[in-house]
Amino acid sequence: MKKFFAILMTLAMVLSLAACGGDSGKKDDSAPADGGSQQQEPASTTPDDGGSEGGADIRVAMITDYGDITDQSFNQTTYEASKAWCEANGVEFTYYKPAGDSTAERVAMVEKAADEDYNVIVMPGFAFGETITQTADVYPDITFIALDVSEGDVGGTVPSNVYCAVYKEELCGYMAGYAAVKLGYTHLGYLGGMAVPAVQRFGYGYVQGIDAAAGELGLSDVVVEYVYGNQFFGDPDITAYTDNWYQNLGVEVVFACGGGICTSAGEAAAKVPGTKVIGVDVDQSFTLDAAYGEGVTLTSAMKGLAATVNHMLDEVAAGNFANYGGKAEALGLVSGDDPSANYVLLPMDTTQWGDGFSQDDYKALVKDMFDGKVTVSDDISALPETANILVNDLGNIK
């Protein structure tokens, strides 16, 4: 009898502990920290009555890749766009940050999202390729929206419940480099994150744009310092490296292409009045200027991340995902007349236009690119050959 009573007491204690542990590991999504827990509280809790048409049937989760939602770049923009769409449409939303940088840890977050009944997962970054190959077939009822994930990243065949979007970064990289030279800069730098395809396309397009503008202006003294930090965040070593560029080599503007690595370029530029930074992925002038001085951001080579998220979530909510599933699309120019409609672009309002390169000049360039009069190679097998400039290929800082 005593033994039976002890078993009952133990069972009661286990049930009590399970009931108390339901919220373990979650944080308030209103103030995420860089080292936050693996999963955050939903940004939008109970959906409105029905939400938008079709929207009540979906629950959206976003998973970060190498960075987090404060990286001022790819993850942050994807997070903000997903959250805003869900709030506007009465759809429940959350995000997950893997415990570390590995496929196993990203897969664990997909499993967690599935366990918590999220049926649309947004993934930003090529690092999710292997994650998709391991999870898409396991969870056929989940819709995966993968940004910057190519057909090759998922093994050559995109599963029917997956949509992959990559961007023609070489085009907006070209625009940024071309604009910088036209605006009078002749000693430029490229600070890439890791030498992955998207970062390479940005950089190689940048070099091509610089070379083309130098040729048009008849310049023979244009120099590009080209390096990768081999990471997607800034640190004292990378700041010191760019300090040397600005302070000793006379570099005037640096295209910082690699998420949070822009902080090192910004810190270095802030020490030398008149020097500039070119942002990436989104219009980084708001964050860079606020942190490192008004006017430090010359322009930004942007990708239409928010536009892609909004369009795809609209289509999923409307029941149209079958038109996209199983496809990988390369998004670039869709209009020669309206630059703002394109998936690769410069910011019209915050680029520091001048006599050498005006808004009208930019529109003319986009028109020529759309019409095929200006072509940009997307080959990343080697740095582009140049006819008018010197490129110092410096490899990796680390």
Side-chain angles (χ1 to χ4, degrees):
M1 185 69 177
K2 289 182 179 179
K3 184 175 182 181
F4 177 72
F5 181 74
I7 292 173
L8 287 178
M9 289 296 292
T10 300
L11 179 61
M13 289 176 67
V14 170
L15 291 174
S16 175
L17 287 171
C20 293
D23 290 331
S24 177
K26 293 187 178 182
K27 282 190 176 183
D28 181 3
D29 189 55
S30 62
D34 287 356
S37 63
Q38 291 181 345
Q39 197 247 335
Q40 311 295 320
E41 286 284 358
S44 176
T45 52
T46 304
D48 297 336
D49 293 338
S52 63
E53 184 178 352
D57 298 328
I58 66 174
R59 302 176 78 234
V60 178
M62 176 250 181
I63 303 174
T64 63
D65 66 346
Y66 295 101
D68 64 23
I69 62 167
T70 61
D71 67 1
Q72 303 177 33
S73 186
F74 210 84
N75 286 283
Q76 184 169 345
T77 300
T78 305
Y79 164 78
E80 290 174 351
S82 300
K83 178 181 177 183
W85 187 93
C86 289
E87 289 177 342
N89 290 277
V91 171
E92 190 166 353
F93 170 76
T94 194
Y95 86 99
Y96 299 86
K97 180 181 177 181
D101 176 25
S102 72
T103 293
E105 286 158 319
R106 285 184 278 271
V107 167
M109 293 300 95
V110 173
E111 294 170 345
K112 190 171 181 63
D115 289 344
E116 297 182 358
D117 296 326
Y118 287 92
N119 55 7
V120 178
I121 299 179
V122 183
M123 300 171 159
F126 77 97
F128 283 102
E130 184 62 26
T131 302
I132 290 170
T133 64
Q134 293 187 24
T135 59
D137 291 341
V138 177
Y139 300 106
D141 295 330
I142 291 180
T143 295
F144 295 91
I145 299 171
L147 309 179
D148 253 13
V149 178
S150 70
E151 195 169 14
D153 292 330
V154 296
T157 301
V158 180
S160 61
N161 58 332
V162 177
Y163 169 73
C164 293
V166 293
Y167 298 86
K168 297 184 178 181
E169 293 93 351
E170 69 277 2
L171 300 183
C172 54
Y174 182 102
M175 296 172 191
Y178 185 92
V181 174
K182 288 285 187 172
L183 289 168
Y185 299 96
T186 59
H187 199 168
L188 307 95
Y190 180 76
L191 174 62
M194 298 176 70
V196 298
V199 176
Q200 290 176 297
R201 286 193 295 268
F202 269 124
Y204 291 3
Y206 181 63
V207 168
Q208 292 175 72
I210 291 169
D211 189 51
E216 290 179 13
L217 295 173
L219 301 175
S220 59
D221 60 345
V222 177
V223 179
V224 180
E225 313 294 344
Y226 195 102
V227 77
Y228 295 102
N230 207 28
Q231 62 190 42
F232 288 116
F233 56 91
D235 67 17
D237 293 334
I238 295 175
T239 300
Y241 196 95
T242 46
D243 277 339
N244 182 56
W245 275 6
Y246 284 121
Q247 296 178 25
N248 300 320
L249 297 185
V251 171
E252 302 159 295
V253 57
V254 173
F255 182 13
C257 179
I261 205 167
C262 66
T263 58
S264 281
E267 289 171 9
K271 301 169 188 174
V272 183
T275 58
K276 304 291 182 181
V277 176
I278 294 173
V280 73
D281 288 337
V282 297
D283 183 357
Q284 290 192 312
S285 64
F286 303 102
T287 52
L288 292 176
D289 283 19
Y292 307 112
E294 187 69 27
V296 74
T297 312
L298 181 66
T299 188
S300 295
M302 297 166 55
K303 297 192 285 194
L305 301 172
T308 309
V309 169
N310 290 332
H311 175 69
M312 289 308 303
L313 291 179
D314 280 344
E315 292 295 274
V316 172
N320 297 329
F321 184 76
N323 297 330
Y324 302 88
K327 294 182 180 179
E329 294 185 318
L331 305 178
L333 301 179
V334 296
S335 174
D337 300 316
D338 180 8
S340 66
N342 293 317
Y343 284 97
V344 286
L345 63 162
L346 302 182
M348 191 67 76
D349 293 334
T350 59
T351 295
Q352 295 178 19
W353 312 108
D355 292 339
F357 195 68
S358 65
Q359 285 191 3
D360 287 341
D361 294 327
Y362 169 58
K363 292 176 182 178
L365 174 63
V366 171
K367 176 68 172 171
D368 285 347
M369 294 173 77
F370 183 80
D371 291 342
K373 295 179 181 178
V374 171
T375 59
V376 185
S377 173
D378 63 358
D379 180 13
I380 57 173
S381 61
L383 269 166
E385 293 185 5
T386 57
N388 308 293
I389 65 174
L390 173 64
V391 180
N392 293 319
D393 184 1
L394 304 169
N396 291 318
I397 296 174
K398 296 187 173 186

